[in-house]
């Protein structure tokens, strides 16, 4: 993989770079937000490892700008010392794909970078298509047969997770982890969000795409 590491702490940047290169990855570096954004746009990496606290432009602003300006989806792994649920949700809302809290193990960093690269099919267009379904990951919009889908933010994230996993089935626990990380709500809101997603994705069309694999989880089925 080609990894862009945007981290202002010199010691951590050096150590992480050496770790990634020791495992055969090519690493580019930036020490501030504006430089990191410029590099990510000029040469989109397979994975962007992004510190949250950066001079010039913090990680949240950088991630938002990247999602608005990039012509493809760049997987973003956000690094931060903030472990509160609200901080994680802000990261995901800004466009981060995964979230790693400091301190972390080198094995976990490597595993998450590899998983992100595979999950997002690094380097492909930011528009993901399955049958009549099109998801614009840069704009955060989805459509079917050219008709825009009116989706709640959580329903969109469920749809995106299922589309990125397609044709694999995602278990209920995998979806819960993708949506709420290690701090799921005490209630079980997944059922209601799936209902809302089905209403927007399938009800207006003759063929349903969202399928339940009983006892396993959920998947998308192409209508092509």
């Amino acid at each position: 993989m080609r990894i862009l590491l945007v981290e202002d702490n010199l010691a951590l940047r050096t150590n992480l770079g050496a770790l990634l290169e020791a495992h055969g990855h090519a690493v580019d570096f930036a020490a501030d937000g504006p430089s990191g954004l410029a590099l990510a746009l000029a040469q989109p990496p397979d994975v962007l490892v992004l510190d949250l606290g950066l001079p010039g432009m913090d990680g949240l602003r950088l991630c938002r700008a990247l999602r608005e300006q990039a012509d493809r989806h760049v997987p973003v792994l956000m690094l931060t010392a903030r472990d509160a649920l609200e901080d994680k949700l802000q990261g995901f809302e800004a466009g981060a794909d995964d979230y790693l809290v400091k301190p972390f193990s080198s094995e976990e960093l490597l595993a998450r970078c590899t998983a992100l690269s595979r999950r997002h099919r690094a380097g492909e267009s930011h528009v993901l298509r399955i049958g009549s379904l099109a998801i614009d990951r840069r704009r955060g919009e989805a459509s079917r047969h050219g008709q825009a889908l009116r989706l709640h933010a959580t329903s969109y994230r469920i749809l995106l997770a299922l589309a990125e996993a397609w044709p694999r089935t995602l278990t209920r626990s995998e979806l819960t982890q993708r949506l709420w990380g290690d701090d799921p709500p005490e209630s079980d809101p997944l059922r209601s969000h799936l209902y809302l997603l089905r209403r927007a994705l399938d009800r207006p069309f003759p063929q349903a795409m969202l399928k339940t694999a009983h006892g396993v989880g959920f998947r998308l089925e192409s209508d092509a």
Side-chain angles (χ1 to χ4, degrees):
M1 288 183 292
R2 192 170 67 81
I3 298 173
L4 173 57
L5 174 59
V6 185
E7 167 64 62
D8 65 323
N9 183 295
L10 176 59
L12 182 56
R13 189 169 69 243
T14 301
N15 290 337
L16 290 181
L19 168 71
L20 294 167
E21 290 175 343
H23 284 78
H25 305 302
V27 185
D28 294 323
F29 301 92
D32 60 76
S35 298
L37 177 61
L39 279 173
L41 291 173
Q43 294 183 310
D46 295 330
V47 176
L48 170 57
V49 179
L50 177 62
D51 186 36
L52 184 58
L54 293 169
M57 173 188 290
D58 67 24
L60 294 177
R61 289 176 56 204
L62 191 160
C63 197
R64 291 191 188 101
L66 180 66
R67 293 291 178 248
E68 292 171 357
Q69 300 175 39
D71 63 355
R72 68 192 66 183
H73 187 80
V74 176
V76 174
L77 173 60
M78 191 167 283
L79 306 180
T80 180
R82 306 175 188 175
D83 61 354
L85 175 60
E86 182 178 351
D87 295 319
K88 293 181 181 180
L89 293 178
Q90 286 181 348
F92 288 128
E93 288 171 3
D97 297 289
D98 202 357
Y99 202 103
L100 193 54
V101 177
K102 301 174 183 177
F104 48 82
S105 70
S106 57
E107 291 81 4
E108 184 172 13
L109 174 69
L110 290 165
R112 293 199 183 214
C113 285
T114 300
L116 278 179
S117 178
R118 291 173 178 170
R119 182 193 307 166
H120 293 277
R121 302 168 187 175
E124 73 171 12
S125 168
H126 58 79
V127 178
L128 182 60
R129 301 183 186 277
I130 301 172
S132 66
L133 174 66
I135 303 176
D136 188 326
R137 293 181 284 193
R138 182 175 63 181
R139 296 179 179 274
E141 299 172 350
S143 63
R144 243 189 113 175
H145 294 292
Q147 178 179 327
L149 303 180
R150 299 182 63 182
L151 296 171
H152 181 276
T154 302
S155 297
Y156 171 81
R157 290 178 61 198
I158 293 174
L159 178 61
L160 180 59
L162 292 170
E164 288 173 342
W166 181 83
R168 187 170 68 87
T169 298
L170 285 183
T171 66
R172 175 177 287 271
S173 61
E174 284 178 305
L175 274 175
T176 300
Q177 175 68 28
R178 287 287 301 275
L179 294 172
W180 296 289
D182 296 326
D183 297 292
E186 293 183 2
S187 60
D188 181 19
L190 187 58
R191 182 187 301 272
S192 60
H193 286 301
L194 285 165
Y195 170 78
L196 293 174
L197 175 56
R198 279 197 169 94
R199 189 170 66 179
L201 175 67
D202 290 336
R203 184 173 294 179
F205 305 98
Q207 183 174 342
M209 295 186 70
L210 178 56
K211 302 292 184 177
T212 300
H214 294 289
V216 181
F218 308 91
R219 71 176 187 274
L220 290 180
E221 185 174 283
S222 175
D223 59 351

